[in-house]
Amino acid sequence: MNAPEPRAAPENGEARPNWEKTFTATTADQTHALAVRLAAVLEAGDLLVLSGELGAGKTTFTQGLGEGLGVRAGIISPTFVLVRIHPNLPDGPRPGGPDLVHVDAYRLGSAAEIDDIDLENTLDSSVTVVEWGHDRVEHLSESRLEIDLHRAIGLGGTGLNGTGLGAAGPAAGAGNGFRRSDGGTLDFETEDTDEPRTIVMRGYGPRWPFVPEPVAAFEGKA
């Protein structure tokens, strides 16, 4: 295990991460590969919070997690569905391992609305990945990984706050509830081009005292 990287104490009273590590991925494949590495150490009960603008690679990263966890393929952006469950495959690389629960929290305005979709029911048996979950899901677990993906070139001016989203948000028209994935191959989000990404990962709580070894050794630069 690597020693945690030092981090300045926050000034606003927010919880302090145990460590923070920055990676560079020059292609979508490298973003995917970093997630596959991380999946090797993920266990049921783990909570991951993904942040980043449209096209930053959140779905690509989640697809890599799904591959590494050996769950049913077909992971796509959860834009029109709040929660998708991708069950573990008995003939996959981790038979008997956790399911993957993929959540889009963009339209959820508070932690109370997160509670309304009952993630607690699957949290202990699954790896839960929440997009747009910052300031909404931290109460679900004392430990979490926060992963911020940043594009080198933003989309800029294409929608709400430069996200490329309409005023109704990405999940407009979606109803609450769960939908199982329908199989298929890996499908990168169309906006995920092969431009460089900076990926910042932070570990919180007793589950993540150090940078996980598989990702600590990641060399994403071409």
Side-chain angles (χ1 to χ4, degrees), residues 188-212:
F188 290 89
E189 56 190 324
T190 55
E191 300 86 354
D192 196 357
T193 58
D194 275 342
E195 65 188 63
R197 263 82 172 172
T198 298
I199 302 172
V200 181
M201 192 176 300
R202 293 180 290 274
Y204 292 82
R207 171 75 174 95
W208 303 107
F210 306 108
V211 181

Side-chain angles (χ1 to χ4, degrees), residues 15-18 45-49 123-124 137-146 202-209:
R16 175 176 178 168
N18 297 321
D46 285 340
L47 174 66
L48 282 68
V49 182
L123 196 64
D124 289 342
V137 299
E138 288 82 355
H139 65 291
L140 294 177
S141 174
E142 64 177 333
S143 298
R144 67 183 183 278
L145 287 177
E146 289 188 354
R202 293 180 290 274
Y204 292 82
R207 171 75 174 95
W208 303 107

Side-chain angles (χ1 to χ4, degrees), residues 29-56:
D29 283 345
Q30 289 183 352
T31 299
H32 183 94
L34 175 62
V36 171
R37 283 174 175 249
L38 177 61
V41 299
L42 294 179
E43 301 174 351
D46 285 340
L47 174 66
L48 282 68
V49 182
L50 302 188
S51 299
E53 64 190 18
L54 188 67

Side-chain angles (χ1 to χ4, degrees), residues 3 25 32 46 54 69 71 73 82 85-86 88 100-101 106-107 112 125 130 140 163 174 179 194 201 221:
H32 183 94
D46 285 340
L54 188 67
L69 289 168
V71 301
L82 292 181
I85 300 176
H86 298 266
N88 179 267
L100 173 65
V101 175
Y106 181 85
R107 293 182 67 215
S125 60
V130 185
L140 294 177
T163 63
R179 178 182 297 179
D194 275 342
M201 192 176 300
K221 292 184 178 180

